[in-house]
Amino acid sequence: MSRQRLLHLDLKTVYSYGDQLLFELVRHAFNSWGGGDYLELTSTSPFREKATSSFVDDINENFDGVVIGGGGIFPRRTNAAPDSGWQWNISVELLKKLKKPIIVFGAGNPAKYDPESYNKVFRKHINQTMSQSIFFGLRSTGAVDDMRGWLDEPDSAPQLTLQPCPTTIGRVLLPRVVGDGPSTDKRIGIQVGLEVAHLQSGLEPGAIFPQLRNLIETLQSDGWDVEFLGHKRADMKFFQEYGEQLGLTGRPLYGNTKVLFNGIRDYARLPIILGARGHSQMIPFGLNNIPLSLSTNNKIRYFAQEIGHPEFLIDPWQEDFTGAALTQINTVDANRAALHAELAQTQQRFVDRTTSNLSTIYERLTGEKVTADLVPYSEREISLAQADYDNDYERRRLLEAAVAAKTGVKRKEGGATGEVVAKKPAAAAPAAAAAPAAPAARSARTQRSRLRGLIGGRASNR
């Protein structure tokens, strides 16, 4: 038996709760499998940082493989790297020099392949990535089907398979954070995403806000305690306009690193969620709560189909949205016990799929077949995971600030190059110098989590 040391290409952010949590839970899944005896995923590097030859050399010399994911890392209107057409910022030429296997884990939905207007860069890059991957797991069957459309030889990619997002098994990975089983209170959470994609789909505040207000007023008159959650700043627009008037509790799950696990605690106490983001469905499902969805995109629709409940989708553009939403809320409320039992069985299927996939990954890395369970982190390991997230986020923030001061190019969250801004006056230079720049590969190599020292002895915590 040999423990495989893997590099995680990830995103550290405090401005998108789904992204903040999902990358952390990818690490938890790998490190929890078999109590940490087989896989070590603690070293990290930003996947949006432009890869260099030294970065590739460092991986080849010091790691057994590369994990990228999860999240929506495939073609986007913004933040796709020109060399790849998706968010992994590495050229095909450098990718071919990578000698260690690639593992894509719990990634999101690629765009559907359109032979008339497809992204040629992405198609070339993703076929090369697929050929160097030993595992390529996407978070829904629909996403797997969409990815096959991009492949030159779709029937010869056995590594392409279903891998649910680890947020869908949060109760199993983090029972010490989640606490007891689903609440029986008459409490519901509302979450509405209002980014470009939502607006372009037709989810305009002027159209949805009045109906949402009517829905909340009716729920409150029926005895429901309603809370409003925001994964990003834009999500809180409704709360800012109507929260005081409606007497709502608002929970912004962004802005600091501490919401990493506190957000799970907030979701755990809401037995029913009506949300408009993929992770406002996946996270509560992972806590064995009931996820109702505003049906605005394939990510949400695919997930509802994956858990066997397309009726959980609510069309936000129908004339009587309020009535339809109330009907669905009352229906699931009347059937809570049966739904909780059924959803728990579905989640167990996701857990079994995850452990089987991790076994497959280990076997393809080592040639050894191992069957093992997920052993949740101890309280101490959870505290260390939070501290490591805090430190790594701050380190990246300082490095990005130093680059911005030096080049005049502002760095967006997670390492994506943003707009050019005016350089700071010379007087500000000493402050930037306090954060010395480091090659991307070196930062990955030296960023060892304090968890690593615990992983070798995790068997004692079983």
Side-chain angles (χ1 to χ4, degrees):
M1 180 196 76
S2 58
R3 183 184 294 120
Q4 298 294 288
R5 185 177 180 223
L6 306 173
L7 173 65
H8 191 196
L9 303 183
D10 73 341
L11 173 70
K12 289 288 195 302
T13 180
V14 296
Y15 295 111
S16 173
Y17 185 60
D19 286 337
Q20 184 174 2
L21 180 63
L22 71 89
F23 291 102
E24 181 65 28
L25 291 193
V26 167
R27 284 186 285 278
H28 281 236
F30 276 76
N31 295 330
S32 293
W33 184 67
D37 289 342
Y38 308 106
L39 299 170
E40 176 192 325
L41 189 64
T42 54
S43 296
T44 69
S45 184
F47 59 73
R48 292 179 183 171
E49 195 70 37
K50 189 172 180 62
T52 62
S53 295
S54 61
F55 174 80
V56 172
D57 291 343
D58 190 52
I59 294 173
N60 289 335
E61 293 170 11
N62 297 289
F63 294 92
D64 297 302
V66 175
V67 176
I68 181 166
I73 55 180
F74 298 119
R76 303 281 294 273
R77 291 176 303 278
T78 60
N79 69 22
D83 283 344
S84 67
W86 54 305
Q87 292 189 60
W88 189 10
N89 197 355
I90 184 171
S91 68
V92 170
E93 291 69 31
L94 275 179
L95 182 60
K96 290 178 179 179
K97 294 180 180 180
L98 183 66
K99 303 305 180 185
K100 297 304 172 72
I102 297 167
I103 299 159
V104 176
F105 196 85
N109 301 70
K112 286 183 178 292
Y113 176 71
D114 179 359
E116 300 299 323
S117 60
Y118 69 92
N119 184 327
K120 295 180 180 180
V121 172
F122 174 70
R123 181 165 187 173
K124 178 181 180 181
H125 199 283
I126 206 65
N127 275 277
Q128 184 63 39
T129 304
M130 189 71 68
S131 71
Q132 295 180 226
S133 299
I134 59 171
F135 183 85
F136 204 108
L138 304 187
R139 63 190 176 201
S140 71
T141 304
V144 170
D145 292 341
D146 287 346
M147 181 58 78
R148 289 195 190 280
W150 289 93
L151 301 183
D152 295 334
E153 298 179 8
D155 295 331
S156 58
Q159 66 273 49
L160 177 59
T161 189
L162 171 69
Q163 170 53 56
C165 179
T167 59
T168 65
I169 59 171
R171 183 171 59 97
V172 176
L173 290 174
L174 288 169
R176 292 175 175 83
V177 176
V178 174
D180 298 331
S183 168
T184 57
D185 296 343
K186 203 165 183 177
R187 186 184 298 118
I188 186 170
I190 307 288
Q191 187 281 322
V192 180
L194 284 175
E195 291 183 295
V196 173
H198 298 96
L199 298 177
Q200 288 183 345
S201 73
L203 199 64
E204 293 282 353
I208 193 68
F209 279 11
Q211 297 205 65
L212 196 58
R213 182 191 60 205
N214 293 340
L215 171 64
I216 292 172
E217 287 177 334
T218 305
L219 287 169
Q220 290 173 329
S221 67
D222 289 344
W224 288 86
D225 181 4
V226 183
E227 298 188 9
F228 199 87
L229 301 99
H231 285 207
K232 295 187 177 183
R233 286 194 184 100
D235 297 0
M236 297 301 286
K237 182 175 175 60
F238 177 87
F239 179 78
Q240 291 161 359
E241 293 188 16
Y242 296 101
E244 184 175 356
Q245 171 189 334
L246 295 171
L248 290 177
T249 297
R251 298 193 181 278
L253 305 181
Y254 57 82
N256 66 79
T257 59
K258 301 307 179 186
V259 300
L260 179 63
F261 297 125
N262 287 339
I264 294 180
R265 295 184 178 96
D266 288 335
Y267 263 118
R269 52 190 298 280
L270 297 169
I272 299 174
I273 294 289
L274 175 60
R277 288 188 179 278
H279 278 95
S280 69
Q281 271 60 74
M282 292 181 232
I283 294 169
F285 169 84
L287 306 177
N288 202 213
N289 292 329
I290 300 171
L292 303 179
S293 315
L294 298 185
S295 181
T296 60
N297 58 56
N298 277 344
K299 175 166 55 173
I300 288 174
R301 288 187 279 269
Y302 285 167
F303 181 71
Q305 293 163 7
E306 200 67 49
I307 65 174
H309 283 280
E311 77 278 7
F312 283 0
L313 298 168
I314 301 171
D315 180 359
W317 305 290
Q318 60 187 299
E319 186 174 345
D320 186 18
F321 163 77
T322 299
L326 280 171
T327 296
Q328 191 56 260
I329 291 168
N330 289 329
T331 298
V332 299
D333 183 40
N335 294 280
R336 276 201 214 188
L339 282 171
H340 284 313
E342 181 198 333
L343 293 176
Q345 289 182 339
T346 303
Q347 186 188 61
Q348 186 58 51
R349 175 165 58 86
F350 286 7
V351 171
D352 294 342
R353 184 65 180 241
T354 300
T355 56
S356 175
N357 285 343
L358 289 167
S359 177
T360 296
I361 290 168
Y362 186 76
E363 183 176 11
R364 290 175 181 171
L365 285 168
T366 67
E368 302 174 39
K369 181 68 175 178
V370 172
T371 300
D373 294 326
L374 298 172
V375 181
Y377 281 18
S378 67
E379 291 282 1
R380 184 177 181 223
E381 288 169 314
I382 292 170
S383 296
L384 290 173
Q386 177 70 68
D388 188 64
Y389 194 99
D390 296 347
N391 293 338
D392 201 21
Y393 175 79
E394 182 64 9
R395 179 186 63 84
R396 294 188 191 186
R397 188 189 68 79
L398 290 172
L399 287 172
E400 291 172 2
V403 171
K406 182 177 180 180
T407 66
V409 178
K410 186 178 180 180
R411 307 290 285 179
K412 290 184 179 178
E413 267 285 307
T417 301
E419 67 275 17
V420 175
V421 295
K423 290 187 178 181
K424 294 181 179 180
R442 184 61 53 193
S443 66
R445 184 176 177 182
T446 58
Q447 254 316 286
R448 287 210 188 160
S449 165
R450 285 175 288 172
L451 279 172
R452 191 179 178 216
L454 289 172
I455 291 175
R458 294 202 66 232
S460 62
N461 296 323
R462 297 185 205 184

